[in-house]
Amino acid sequence: MPALTVNDRPVRFDMDPETPLLWALRDAANLTGTKYGCGVGDCHACTVIVDGEALRSCLITLAEAEGRYVTTIEGLSRDRSHPVQQALVAEQAIQCGFCTPGIAMAAAALIEANPDPSEEAIRQAIPNLCRCGVYPRLVRAIQRAGRVARRVERISAAPAPGISADDAAAEVPAMAAPQSEARE
């Protein structure tokens, strides 16, 4: 049984060690944020961070992941407060969202290694395919995430998921219920 650490939790998979990490994460661990795109490593939709490196989970087996630390989009931050997540939203660098988890993971690994990446460094580190074509906004978002990571800039983000409607409305007035609903 391959054993590894996924999102800071030790996990043993009762699966064939030659199973791609992608399927272990999605099917056995129910971490479905890691997307299946092409299955051959071309699209990068399945990117996760393994020991600090952005890797395509469709190309790494459980045996190859044994003993390693894996971070999926679910483990990047529980409340979407990671600088990359905040910057992707702030720069509107998300459209359909299918490729977004893989892009976020590749960008997070890049920002961790180099919090002030050049446009060329970003283009090299983020080879992910996006059918919506958000590439110019993506570069801006990753540069902005780097500034946030360096504490040069802050992003006012929406409230974290799971808070009460009243608390959300206090933080973001546009989320307040219309007056007619509030009286009922």
Side-chain angles (χ1 to χ4, degrees):
M1 277 198 301
L4 51 146
T5 302
V6 178
N7 298 335
D8 295 323
R9 299 178 74 179
V11 179
R12 286 191 180 280
F13 289 100
D14 188 10
M15 301 176 83
D16 181 343
E18 294 307 307
T19 301
L21 177 60
L22 168 66
W23 298 117
L25 294 171
R26 287 185 60 79
D27 294 346
N30 198 33
L31 296 170
T32 58
T34 303
K35 302 302 182 198
Y36 170 75
C38 66
V40 295
D42 289 340
C43 72
H44 296 252
C46 66
T47 300
V48 296
I49 298 174
V50 180
D51 292 338
E53 183 181 0
L55 296 178
R56 291 158 288 175
S57 62
C58 71
L59 298 181
I60 182 172
T61 65
L62 278 174
E64 293 167 322
E66 175 122 28
R68 299 176 81 180
Y69 290 86
V70 176
T71 304
T72 68
I73 191 70
E74 292 91 347
L76 196 56
S77 74
R78 295 252 181 245
D79 62 357
R80 299 182 210 140
S81 63
H82 190 279
V84 169
Q85 292 169 307
Q86 290 183 346
L88 286 171
V89 172
E91 290 294 327
Q92 299 177 12
I94 300 169
Q95 283 191 322
C96 80
F98 188 83
C99 65
T100 305
I103 289 172
M105 298 311 290
L110 171 63
I111 294 299
E112 182 66 30
N114 176 8
D116 192 13
S118 67
E119 184 173 331
E120 181 57 29
I122 292 168
R123 292 186 191 285
Q124 291 293 319
I126 316 295
N128 304 61
L129 298 179
C130 171
R131 70 173 63 186
C132 301
V134 298
Y135 300 111
R137 287 179 277 168
L138 185 59
V139 169
R140 286 194 307 270
I142 295 170
Q143 288 174 330
R144 190 170 186 185
R147 291 191 302 273
V148 172
R150 294 188 321 268
R151 299 178 192 245
V152 174
E153 181 178 335
R154 287 189 53 153
I155 296 174
S156 295
I163 69 172
S164 75
D166 290 337
D167 289 343
E171 289 189 40
V172 182
M175 296 181 77
Q179 289 299 331
S180 61
E181 289 180 29
R183 282 182 254 166
E184 293 175 10

